[in-house]
Amino acid sequence: MEITAAIRKNIRSLADARHRRESGLFLAEGSKCVLDTLPHFRCRMLAATRNWAESHPAEFAAHDGAIASRADMERMSSLSTPAQVLAVYEIPAHHIPDAETLSRGLVIALDRIQDPGNLGTIIRVADWMGVHDIIASQDTVDVYNPKVVQATMGSISRVRVHYTDLADKLRELSAAVPVYGTLLDDKAENIYTASLPSQAVLVMGNEGNGVSDAVRKLLSHTLFIPPYPPGADTAESLNVAVATAIALAQFRRQNF
């Protein structure tokens, strides 16, 4: 396949959420990300430099890959430093599981997360910690944003993100499992001494404003990650992806 100007333009347009919705496609870039996701998504196009194609002949041939020049990759890439390979995939039709199914394990709920890097890292952490489903407010950053996909390092193939009316879904889930939220509030329960269950919802809030008032009302338990040592002069807050990793580690440690 020849990389034409129209193909370059179409791939580049996938950096825009509207074009992703209209086309039903998303972009993955970088060797690790592409190799990890190729078996899990329907690939519409694989473009790579000659060096990458020669290093991965089976994958390149299996997906009818196109040789791209460095200039082609620069024009198509959403990254500041273009990778040697990119793949265009069909967006899968994930359906949000019912409350009974979700309540069988640990679920992350994201309230208005805005930074693509944070969402990608949270997905990667969830994958490592055995969390397979994330529910997110409609105004959380799009999981198929190229920067999110890149930050997941392939974990997007194993963790499903479901966009929904978060308050409604938490209200439904709260009938089956406890709903925990991390707050920057030392009146909340210390996460290191709290007794944490294996089945729960863990709510993580917006980077600047935390958990919204509507969602906070639905929390059955609130958790605080204290600085060390207590009372020390430290950073104002933790990055939300870092806080998610700490919280998940505490849930898993108690139920390993």
Side-chain angles (χ1 to χ4, degrees), residues 41-56:
F41 298 102
R42 185 169 181 178
C43 183
R44 284 282 195 89
M45 180 180 181
L46 183 71
T49 62
R50 189 170 298 280
N51 283 344
W52 193 92
E54 290 174 353
S55 299
H56 304 83

Side-chain angles (χ1 to χ4, degrees), residues 5-150:
I7 288 175
R8 289 196 298 266
K9 182 179 179 181
N10 286 336
I11 293 177
R12 181 71 181 182
S13 73
L14 296 177
D16 181 77
R18 181 173 63 85
H19 286 286
R20 291 194 296 274
R21 287 193 299 269
E22 291 175 352
S23 65
L25 303 173
F26 74 98
L27 178 65
E29 300 184 68
S31 189
K32 176 170 175 48
C33 186
V34 168
L35 290 173
D36 281 354
T37 52
L38 271 174
H40 301 281
F41 298 102
R42 185 169 181 178
C43 183
R44 284 282 195 89
M45 180 180 181
L46 183 71
T49 62
R50 189 170 298 280
N51 283 344
W52 193 92
E54 290 174 353
S55 299
H56 304 83
E59 291 83 0
F60 190 76
H63 295 89
D64 195 21
I67 296 294
S69 67
R70 181 166 182 81
D72 286 331
M73 298 300 286
E74 288 175 351
R75 293 187 183 104
M76 294 185 291
S77 177
S78 63
L79 305 176
S80 55
T81 303
Q84 291 192 61
V85 61
L86 59 80
V88 176
Y89 295 122
E90 293 183 8
I91 294 175
H94 288 322
H95 299 290
I96 187 167
D98 59 30
E100 182 182 355
T101 301
L102 286 174
S103 64
R104 292 173 187 159
L106 193 57
V107 177
I108 298 172
L110 301 180
D111 187 10
R112 304 169 300 148
I113 300 300
Q114 298 299 300
D115 183 82
N118 283 338
L119 177 56
T121 302
I122 289 170
I123 291 169
R124 190 174 176 185
V125 169
D127 187 23
W128 184 261
M129 293 291 184
V131 176
H132 305 296
D133 290 285
I134 294 174
I135 55 175
S137 61
Q138 299 284 10
D139 49 358
T140 289
V141 62
D142 179 17
V143 64
Y144 296 111
N145 178 309
K147 293 180 180 178
V148 175
V149 176
Q150 178 73 12

Side-chain angles (χ1 to χ4, degrees), residues 97-107 168-180 197-201 218 220-221:
D98 59 30
E100 182 182 355
T101 301
L102 286 174
S103 64
R104 292 173 187 159
L106 193 57
V107 177
D168 280 353
K169 181 53 69 174
L170 290 176
R171 198 173 289 111
E172 181 185 357
L173 284 167
S174 65
V177 288
V179 179
Y180 287 79
S198 60
Q199 298 173 316
V201 179
L218 300 170
S220 56
H221 299 77

